[in-house]
Amino acid sequence: MKKQTFYASFLAVVIAGPFQAAAEIVRPEDAIDLKSVSFKQDLASRDVVVDYEFSGTNAIIRADILTNGVSIGEANFKTITGDYSHSATETVAAGKRQFRWKTRADWRNNLATNMQVRINAYYAEEAALAGFEYLVIDLSGGTEATHYPVSSLDAPPAGEWADEYKTSKLVLRRIRAGGDPAAEAYLGEDVYAGVFEITQRQWELVMGDKPSYFYNVGAYEHRPVEKVSYNRIRGENMSYVAQWGEIGAESFLGRIRAKTGITFDLPGRAQWRYICQAGTETDFNSGKNCTVAYGVDEPCPNMAEVGRYKHNGGSNTDAGCWIGGGTAIVGSYLRNSWGIYDMHGNVWEIVLDVNQSYAPMNYVLGGGCSSPAYDCRKTANWRQSPGDSAYNIGFRVVARMQ
């Protein structure tokens, strides 16, 4: 899909009185036509009032506040009322529109100089570009669907993620770039990362088959898919294709790309570790370390909190076992501080990187349901040939924001 993102920005020097604005509008070809934009401060309420006008189709309207060219951050710009999109379903109709930013709620006791307010507007189909916290893909149309609807959320639903987000919908969380490029954990650009590992039902809806070993009829839908090879996920002979590059059209990622217009892929090894640890420096993303030494196969209470492993049910590898054995329902254990589940245990996760010592084998990370605790640390890795599959190896996806 051709990107039709456009934005307007305007600058004002903040003085004691109301904001005064001069508008600068950038109009790419065939974009929705943004005609005017201005802002001022209501001296009584101290609200920043933004007025804008555009013509064309309904748009997702998002904005950012900068001072001296630096964003104040989304955490300081969230109490907004009026004609503004808090989710992809909240589009704004063309015409003269206005929204208010409640500075006393978000930016109290701060003085802004050289303030800039940037408006970004997107077509409804471009939810992945709009910077919402969560991206949701509706897979319920199955293999016969020509298009998977895309929506977004600024926060999880009340009561957290219902079963549909583990079966007929795919939910991803925005992860912001960070880390050291020379380190083992690094993310060079913002991405959306799967909140859960891809489940058996999600695989079935996209690919039409049920390949997994843990097949129990009453529980299979919510368990992670396994017994799927790198070749089926990304396409044959794709081990050396760079991230976001062209992949197999009939692979899982190829199909979901084609039906959403969004570039999905596997995470790289450094990306996976960055997403897993979520700012922690410990073995597990809960902020706790492994209590057993490498090579010692004993229970670890800290591992038992964050995922399914050998000593909290995973040693039962009966194909038809109920959810107390084998793999667990995704999201059954503690999430990390960024809201991502099951990055320790449950299934080893295939990543993009090739293990050069055993090429063309790909790395798998994070441990599986039958792994000892030391193999579920964030640094643990193993390898798998692109055409092979196993009962304790699955995957999660990432999606590009541009």
Side-chain angles (χ1 to χ4, degrees), residues 280-343:
T280 62
E281 299 292 337
T282 48
D283 292 334
F284 304 127
N285 55 29
S286 59
K288 299 179 182 179
N289 285 313
C290 188
T291 59
V292 297
Y294 183 82
V296 177
D297 189 3
E298 294 179 354
C300 172
N302 294 341
M303 176 57 210
E305 294 176 345
V306 293
R308 175 63 55 83
Y309 81 119
K310 184 175 181 178
H311 294 288
N312 66 352
S315 61
N316 180 357
T317 56
D318 252 354
C321 69
W322 190 243
I323 56 175
T327 55
I329 289 175
V330 298
S332 295
Y333 296 91
L334 291 179
R335 62 190 178 189
N336 70 14
S337 62
W338 293 343
I340 309 297
Y341 293 86
D342 299 310
M343 297 201 78

Side-chain angles (χ1 to χ4, degrees), residues 153-211:
L153 300 166
D154 266 342
E160 286 295 321
W161 303 111
D163 283 352
E164 63 180 324
Y165 293 98
K166 304 173 184 179
T167 54
S168 61
K169 292 180 178 178
L170 169 61
V171 60
L172 302 96
R173 172 73 189 268
R174 182 181 176 184
I175 307 294
R176 287 157 179 79
D180 181 350
E184 291 186 341
Y186 172 66
L187 185 64
E189 61 179 301
D190 287 13
V191 299
Y192 283 105
V195 169
F196 307 108
E197 295 156 330
I198 294 296
T199 64
Q200 295 184 37
R201 179 58 176 162
Q202 289 167 341
W203 178 277
E204 181 185 3
L205 287 168
V206 174
M207 299 298 284
D209 64 336
K210 302 178 184 179

Side-chain angles (χ1 to χ4, degrees), residues 71-331:
S71 172
I72 67 170
E74 293 174 66
N76 297 312
F77 182 62
K78 59 186 179 182
T79 310
I80 303 166
T81 61
D83 299 317
Y84 189 78
S85 302
H86 294 280
S87 76
T89 58
E90 294 181 51
T91 56
V92 177
K96 293 182 178 180
R97 298 290 174 245
Q98 181 185 93
F99 65 81
R100 283 177 171 255
W101 171 40
K102 303 288 186 179
T103 60
R104 282 180 169 166
D106 296 344
W107 195 240
R108 195 176 185 89
N109 299 323
N110 285 282
L111 175 65
T113 57
N114 294 322
M115 172 172 272
Q116 188 178 32
V117 182
R118 181 172 293 123
I119 290 182
N120 298 281
Y122 306 87
Y123 287 87
E125 295 83 0
E126 294 182 314
L129 304 176
F132 294 105
E133 284 302 299
Y134 295 91
L135 192 66
V136 180
I137 316 299
D138 185 349
L139 306 174
S140 60
T143 56
E144 299 303 313
T146 58
H147 173 70
Y148 292 143
V150 178
S151 60
S152 57
L153 300 166
D154 266 342
E160 286 295 321
W161 303 111
D163 283 352
E164 63 180 324
Y165 293 98
K166 304 173 184 179
T167 54
S168 61
K169 292 180 178 178
L170 169 61
V171 60
L172 302 96
R173 172 73 189 268
R174 182 181 176 184
I175 307 294
R176 287 157 179 79
D180 181 350
E184 291 186 341
Y186 172 66
L187 185 64
E189 61 179 301
D190 287 13
V191 299
Y192 283 105
V195 169
F196 307 108
E197 295 156 330
I198 294 296
T199 64
Q200 295 184 37
R201 179 58 176 162
Q202 289 167 341
W203 178 277
E204 181 185 3
L205 287 168
V206 174
M207 299 298 284
D209 64 336
K210 302 178 184 179
S212 295
Y213 175 81
F214 292 109
Y215 64 84
N216 187 288
V217 174
Y220 86 95
E221 291 187 338
H222 305 80
R223 282 173 145 164
V225 70
E226 15 83 11
K227 293 288 288 182
V228 292
S229 67
Y230 175 95
N231 287 349
R232 292 208 68 196
I233 296 167
R234 203 164 183 258
E236 294 190 22
N237 303 314
M238 296 293 168
S239 291
Y240 292 99
V241 173
Q243 191 175 46
W244 318 127
E246 187 173 344
I247 56 175
E250 291 305 312
S251 67
F252 178 91
L253 291 169
R255 290 187 181 192
I256 203 169
R257 282 186 185 188
K259 294 182 180 183
T260 60
I262 297 169
T263 307
F264 285 88
D265 216 327
L266 292 171
R269 182 166 59 149
Q271 293 173 336
W272 188 96
R273 285 180 174 165
Y274 180 82
I275 295 165
C276 171
Q277 65 189 39
T280 62
E281 299 292 337
T282 48
D283 292 334
F284 304 127
N285 55 29
S286 59
K288 299 179 182 179
N289 285 313
C290 188
T291 59
V292 297
Y294 183 82
V296 177
D297 189 3
E298 294 179 354
C300 172
N302 294 341
M303 176 57 210
E305 294 176 345
V306 293
R308 175 63 55 83
Y309 81 119
K310 184 175 181 178
H311 294 288
N312 66 352
S315 61
N316 180 357
T317 56
D318 252 354
C321 69
W322 190 243
I323 56 175
T327 55
I329 289 175
V330 298

